Amino acid sequence: MRQIVSWEVAQKGFFNQDFGGAVVNGRRNVLTTTAEFTGIAFLTEPRSFSPVISRLRIQTSAHTDAQWNLDYDTKKGRISGSTMLVDWRLREFFVGGSHTFFHAPGEIFVTNPIPGPDRFNQFRVLLGYGHPNKRGLSAAANFGFDDNFDFVQYGTIQTSYNWSCIGVSAEYRRFALAVRNENQFRFSLSLANIGTFGTLRRQERLF
């Protein structure tokens, strides 16, 4: 049996607003009870309630999946984080996309007087054909776009070809980040019942 729709809405209340003096004003305070709840360090000052979290997932078939995670900070009256994911597969073809918005909590920088961006607004697109165990050719590509700075942050192209007992995979990846600007080439060779050798790891595969 498949669960078609699931939706969770929750908020935490805190009787001790400064967590026994653990909260330092103007700094991001990372505590287990808050990090496990939202994943965002929203404690920059004493507060009675956490942001409201919403976790919505829709899976209308075995080939489709959509998720929307939303965090709304009632104290500051704004969305602190939103992530939308969509994946769809038709036989050997698949497509996916995501949008991530994050509003960093206000923080007073003591050691670094130059503040970084307080908002992140990014998109990701994935297109592909095949899967790791498919005989013959498989290929996929993805890229990430930063709407704040209006440029493509990264792009990846992967391809592989499998015979009956051997497979080869290759990847080209391009990064264009503020502290990282480089090209990467990776390759792997897979032998049936033996293993995989090379620089392209399984967890980095797009398909």
Side-chain angles (χ1 to χ4, degrees):
M1 180 178 294
R2 183 180 66 254
Q3 188 177 50
I4 298 177
V5 179
S6 64
W7 189 19
E8 175 191 359
V9 179
Q11 184 180 34
K12 274 190 174 183
F14 310 115
F15 292 106
N16 193 331
Q17 297 184 8
D18 64 352
F19 292 80
V23 174
V24 179
N25 281 322
R27 301 294 299 273
R28 298 183 191 181
N29 299 268
V30 181
L31 305 177
T32 301
T33 184
T34 59
E36 290 181 347
F37 185 66
T38 67
I40 299 175
F42 60 85
L43 275 177
T44 56
E45 58 189 349
R47 58 190 298 163
S48 300
F49 295 96
S50 73
V52 178
I53 66 169
S54 171
R55 303 292 183 258
L56 175 64
R57 182 173 184 181
I58 302 174
Q59 193 173 23
T60 57
S61 71
H63 308 292
T64 60
D65 188 17
Q67 299 182 51
W68 184 22
N69 299 331
L70 178 70
D71 290 14
Y72 182 80
D73 195 326
T74 55
K75 182 178 179 66
K76 298 181 179 179
R78 69 187 187 192
I79 295 174
S80 53
S82 173
T83 302
M84 302 179 68
L85 304 168
V86 177
D87 292 295
W88 176 72
R89 174 179 284 273
L90 178 63
R91 298 183 180 88
E92 297 294 343
F93 295 92
F94 58 91
V95 60
S98 67
H99 170 244
T100 301
F101 172 82
F102 172 66
H103 197 150
E107 181 178 19
I108 300 173
F109 293 90
V110 178
T111 58
N112 183 11
I114 303 176
D118 65 342
R119 295 189 184 188
F120 300 86
N121 193 25
Q122 300 173 348
F123 299 85
R124 181 187 67 92
V125 176
L126 170 66
L127 301 170
Y129 168 79
H131 56 83
N133 300 322
K134 177 183 175 296
R135 292 280 294 271
L137 180 68
S138 295
N142 76 339
F143 70 89
F145 180 80
D146 191 305
D147 187 61
N148 285 1
F149 297 100
D150 195 27
F151 77 101
V152 176
Q153 284 189 317
Y154 66 88
T156 305
I157 299 175
Q158 290 183 4
T159 184
S160 68
Y161 197 96
N162 292 325
W163 291 270
S164 58
C165 60
I166 188 173
V168 293
S169 300
E171 175 195 82
Y172 167 72
R173 182 174 296 185
R174 167 70 177 170
F175 291 99
L177 306 176
V179 295
R180 189 176 184 183
N181 195 329
E182 63 180 284
N183 298 315
Q184 291 183 351
F185 297 91
R186 298 184 182 183
F187 176 83
S188 67
L189 174 68
S190 300
L191 301 176
N193 301 320
I194 297 179
T196 301
F197 310 90
T199 56
L200 180 56
R201 294 175 293 182
R202 177 175 291 274
Q203 60 266 32
E204 297 171 333
R205 299 286 292 267
L206 299 180
F207 51 84

